[in-house]
Amino acid sequence: IFKHLLTYLKIELSAENEGAISAWGAIESMTINCRNTLNLDITTGQVSYPGTPSECEFYNKFDDSPFVSSNKPYTLTVEAKEAAYILCAPVDAIVKEQYEPFNRIPEYTITLSTTYRKNIVLDIDLKTKEGELDAAYFNKNTAGYMFTIGLKFKMGNNIAISTSITDWTTGGIGTGE
């Protein structure tokens, strides 16, 4: 039986309204800091996750090229659109309710820059249902799961973050271990 060993994160981007699009401008860069990295020993086929944080880039949903670059910024729209993705090493998600807010560790950190705002850091805590403030935090290993991370750019220098679990159905049929 085939099982995914990585975590699939897809990013949906939108703006609250036309004013927010004008206030933020286009997305010029966006990276993610993952708590784990993945090591693959090609001779043995063994995968390990040494736990060293690393900064990784997102990829364009349509052609698997790097998501944004200096000559190809992403223009926001009012309608939420799936814009980018990354396959990354899994992490053990932490149950946030057990910790004080000041001591919590997010599963991921996204850093982005737009035309008018630079180096914005967003903590991404994975939840089980999109947009619900009282939704349960995801509290397992993220391997084999697909998460949708919604970023809605708003007026007043705010970005609303939502997360949800979706079925990982991308790809064809296969077998393996």
Side-chain angles (χ1 to χ4, degrees), residues 76-93:
L76 292 168
T77 62
V78 173
E79 178 185 344
K81 293 183 180 179
E82 183 181 339
Y85 76 92
I86 186 170
L87 296 172
C88 56
V91 297
D92 289 322

Side-chain angles (χ1 to χ4, degrees), residues 17-38:
N17 53 38
E18 294 295 327
I21 293 171
S22 296
W24 286 92
I27 296 176
E28 296 179 339
S29 68
M30 186 168 73
T31 58
I32 189 164
N33 192 322
C34 302
R35 284 198 325 231
N36 279 345
T37 54
L38 176 128

Side-chain angles (χ1 to χ4, degrees), residues 41-95:
D41 184 328
I42 297 193
T43 58
T44 65
Q46 293 295 108
V47 176
S48 64
Y49 310 103
T52 306
S54 65
E55 187 171 81
C56 304
E57 66 181 321
F58 286 98
Y59 293 92
N60 187 316
K61 170 195 182 243
F62 302 103
D63 63 8
D64 299 323
S65 64
F67 172 58
V68 290
S69 63
S70 58
N71 62 349
K72 190 178 83 172
Y74 181 85
T75 303
L76 292 168
T77 62
V78 173
E79 178 185 344
K81 293 183 180 179
E82 183 181 339
Y85 76 92
I86 186 170
L87 296 172
C88 56
V91 297
D92 289 322
I94 298 170
V95 179

Side-chain angles (χ1 to χ4, degrees), residues 155-166:
M155 295 297 292
N157 213 21
N158 294 318
I159 300 174
I161 302 168
S162 63
T163 63
S164 63
I165 301 172
T166 55

Side-chain angles (χ1 to χ4, degrees), residues 78-150:
V78 173
E79 178 185 344
K81 293 183 180 179
E82 183 181 339
Y85 76 92
I86 186 170
L87 296 172
C88 56
V91 297
D92 289 322
I94 298 170
V95 179
K96 305 300 183 297
E97 291 88 350
Q98 295 177 357
Y99 299 93
E100 294 179 31
F102 301 108
N103 294 326
R104 71 177 179 73
I105 301 169
E107 277 75 50
Y108 302 98
T109 304
I110 292 176
T111 302
L112 61 85
S113 291
T114 69
T115 307
Y116 304 115
R117 296 182 174 101
K118 307 298 181 197
N119 299 315
I120 301 156
V121 178
L122 306 170
D123 288 344
I124 307 299
D125 293 315
L126 301 175
K127 289 189 173 184
T128 57
K129 293 182 184 171
E130 181 175 347
E132 295 184 18
L133 293 176
D134 61 344
Y137 284 101
F138 185 79
N139 62 354
K140 303 180 204 174
N141 187 283
T142 61
Y145 288 96
M146 176 189 286
F147 296 90
T148 299
I149 300 170

